[in-house]
Amino acid sequence: MEKQTKKMNRREFLGLSALGLASLTILPSWSVNGQKYAPSDRIVFGFIGLGRQGMSDFYSASNCPGIQIVAGCDVDALKRERFMKRVTEWQKKAGWNPRCDTYEFYEELLDRKDIDVVSIATPDHWHALAAIHACQASKDVYLQKPLTYTISESIALVRAVRANDRVLQVGSQQRSDREFQRAIELVRAGAIGHIESVQVHIGEPPKPFDLPEVPVPPYLNFNAWMGPLTSPNVHYHPDMCPPIDNPEMEEKGPWAVWRYYRETGNGLTGDWGAHHYDITQAALGMDGSGPVEYIPAGYNGTKYCTMKYADGTVVTEQVIENFRKDNPNELGIKFIGTKGWLKVARGYIECSDPSLVKDTPMGAEVSHMQNFVNCIRSRRNPIAPVEVGCSTNIMCCLNNIAHELGRPVKWDPATLSFGDDEEAANHRLYYYKYRNPYTLPYWDK
């Protein structure tokens, strides 16, 4: 912590010193799939967060022409070792001189002037700081969903992206899939009439942290993993940071269970809500806005978690009856209109009028990562810009706030406020004070 405190106070991520291009050992020009790229055209990536999702994003980036990957950061030394091994193997296969630097603290990676872009796949509570500091260091950002852990962090990140003229793509990759794009197009065009309700199945909200304490392994800096969190009851357990303990260098155990606890995540509400509420908002034309009232399941007989838009459209979180014959409990979305219905999930789309979705291709024509890379070059907004991630994350957080308070919560999407509801405004998922020495830039409560 002392080392990290000094770095944060001294640099403040402004006027960062450069390690320069000397750290790269690639050829002055190189090719991908037979297409040559000059040094001025290449895009140089660094990665922050090297777990399962970070590795998945590395593979996505490595398939984009004109990309070089030169550095990675993680508080887990074993994951740093794996990343360096995989990246140098990829570089050798491409015919480049292998070199990949790794760091325990991301400030050192952001110091590098040769890095244009960072891909961030940390636990949610680190998203805001890592992404804001990257913007301040003039890096474009590919940021895994959900955008941030809290509402205030999302608002601050929007400000940081725009103040620093950065391109940020939220890793809600369903936006790039053609079945979801077709669903959005049909709903917006009125193909199933005026939308009266939407059913969305995403899963349970988070629960209190209840894992037993286990000694921290020597290869992991768990204090740095905790970062800004002020959760005295949270301690290390291997399920929180799945270890690598096999020759294949793959994690053993469940996929990052920190997502399922209130102190460290937003449950399936934030995890899958970041996907399916995202598509719901897009189809309803509500990107950048959102519902005005959130009613938790069980309140005064309310069967399902319910969200109400100002125009009267109602969204409920529920298992969707008769959703799909081969997978009836699948996480997905059903739009119900005055002229029919439309159901969509990954690799699946169905409509009351089959002709509307006949022969709809599945998956992305242009990958979500490639869309981001294209927008780095064009300096245009990607398919999932920061404002989209912000409004979707606010929707997820407000559902959890209403659930934990056990009563309805009203929200004004225009002013980003609860009105006179002080209890909701003081909830940790709106804002919490970081532990020292961390502070949230671009935020003034």
Side-chain angles (χ1 to χ4, degrees):
M1 178 63 74
E2 182 183 356
K3 180 180 179 183
Q4 198 165 22
T5 303
K6 290 179 180 178
K7 287 181 180 177
M8 294 179 71
N9 290 340
R10 184 177 73 251
R11 292 169 182 158
E12 298 177 342
F13 302 95
L14 298 172
L16 298 176
S17 60
L19 294 181
L21 290 172
S23 62
L24 290 177
T25 55
I26 58 177
L27 299 175
S29 64
W30 42 280
S31 65
V32 179
N33 297 329
Q35 186 174 357
K36 287 191 175 183
Y37 288 85
S40 59
D41 292 329
R42 71 166 179 255
I43 297 174
V44 180
F45 270 69
F47 282 72
I48 301 172
L50 308 178
R52 287 178 169 119
Q53 188 59 59
M55 294 305 299
S56 176
D57 291 341
F58 154 66
Y59 295 128
S60 296
S62 68
N63 285 316
C64 296
I67 296 303
Q68 178 59 295
I69 298 164
V70 300
C73 169
D74 201 286
V75 297
D76 184 324
L78 299 183
K79 292 181 174 66
R80 295 197 298 271
E81 179 184 354
R82 174 181 63 183
F83 184 77
M84 182 172 61
K85 180 175 184 292
R86 297 284 166 82
V87 171
T88 53
E89 287 173 350
W90 167 71
Q91 291 169 331
K92 290 176 183 177
K93 188 175 180 180
W96 309 324
N97 294 333
R99 172 75 181 269
C100 179
D101 300 319
T102 60
Y103 305 96
E104 183 175 3
F105 300 105
Y106 70 74
E107 301 97 315
E108 296 176 88
L109 186 149
L110 294 181
D111 267 350
R112 291 181 51 161
K113 293 293 187 180
D114 58 315
I115 293 177
D116 307 302
V117 181
V118 293
S119 178
I120 300 172
T122 63
D124 297 349
H125 65 272
W126 264 114
H127 282 193
L129 281 181
I132 289 172
H133 292 153
C135 290
Q136 291 178 311
S138 299
K139 316 298 184 190
D140 294 321
V141 180
Y142 186 91
L143 178 62
Q144 266 306 321
K145 59 82 198 168
L147 189 72
T148 61
Y149 176 48
T150 69
I151 293 173
S152 59
E153 290 172 325
S154 288
I155 296 169
L157 181 51
V158 171
R159 294 170 180 168
V161 170
R162 297 310 168 200
N164 292 280
D165 194 24
R166 295 295 93 204
V167 174
L168 185 146
Q169 173 90 297
V170 186
S172 50
Q173 74 274 10
Q174 288 181 175
R175 283 253 172 170
S176 293
D177 288 351
R178 288 172 287 187
E179 63 269 31
F180 289 102
Q181 284 295 310
R182 182 61 175 157
I184 292 168
E185 176 188 0
L186 289 170
V187 171
R188 285 183 176 179
I192 59 173
H194 173 72
I195 301 301
E196 297 179 324
S197 63
V198 185
Q199 298 173 357
V200 184
H201 184 31
I202 56 173
E204 298 297 318
K207 60 182 180 179
F209 186 80
D210 61 359
L211 290 173
E213 186 169 7
V214 174
V216 179
Y219 57 80
L220 175 68
N221 185 337
F222 190 69
N223 183 59
W225 185 95
M226 286 286 292
L229 283 179
T230 52
S231 303
N233 65 316
V234 174
H235 44 250
Y236 173 75
H237 184 278
D239 286 356
M240 299 285 280
C241 313
I244 297 173
D245 62 356
N246 56 87
E248 292 77 27
M249 301 186 78
E250 299 294 345
E251 287 92 337
K252 294 296 184 181
W255 187 299
V257 300
W258 49 261
R259 295 176 294 177
Y260 307 129
Y261 297 106
R262 292 179 181 179
E263 296 85 348
T264 53
N266 272 308
L268 289 170
T269 306
D271 192 42
W272 272 93
H275 286 304
H276 288 334
Y277 290 149
D278 176 67
I279 300 301
T280 300
Q281 290 262 99
L284 296 178
M286 297 304 291
D287 279 339
S289 184
V292 298
E293 185 174 14
Y294 297 77
I295 306 170
Y299 178 79
N300 283 354
T302 303
K303 187 174 182 181
Y304 303 114
C305 168
T306 302
M307 295 140 274
K308 296 181 178 180
Y309 286 88
D311 66 357
T313 305
V314 173
V315 178
T316 54
E317 194 291 310
Q318 63 180 92
V319 175
I320 304 170
E321 293 184 10
N322 304 314
F323 183 74
R324 185 174 176 177
K325 291 180 181 179
D326 59 340
N327 191 1
N329 293 319
E330 183 167 6
L331 305 180
I333 312 166
K334 182 177 182 180
F335 297 94
I336 302 169
T338 54
K339 293 166 52 179
W341 51 262
L342 185 148
K343 297 184 286 190
V344 65
R346 292 186 181 180
Y348 166 78
I349 188 169
E350 185 180 358
C351 186
S352 53
D353 180 352
S355 68
L356 294 174
V357 297
K358 184 180 179 182
D359 301 325
T360 298
M362 300 293 120
E365 182 175 10
V366 175
S367 76
H368 203 59
M369 185 68 77
Q370 184 64 62
N371 170 259
F372 172 56
V373 170
N374 294 345
C375 290
I376 293 171
R377 292 193 167 105
S378 69
R379 307 314 296 172
R380 296 178 178 176
N381 270 338
I383 195 171
V386 64
E387 289 85 0
V388 163
C390 179
S391 58
T392 300
N393 188 56
I394 287 174
M395 195 171 176
C396 298
C397 289
L398 289 173
N399 269 312
N400 282 339
I401 291 173
H403 171 75
E404 291 183 24
L405 294 180
R407 61 166 176 83
V409 168
K410 293 186 177 181
W411 174 258
D412 186 339
T415 62
L416 300 173
S417 68
F418 295 97
D420 59 359
D421 189 343
E422 290 296 324
E423 184 180 29
N426 287 318
H427 194 280
R428 76 178 190 288
L429 291 180
Y430 179 70
Y431 171 83
Y432 75 98
K433 185 178 180 180
Y434 288 173
R435 68 169 178 154
N436 288 330
Y438 305 96
T439 59
L440 179 61
Y442 297 95
W443 177 251
D444 50 352
K445 187 178 179 182

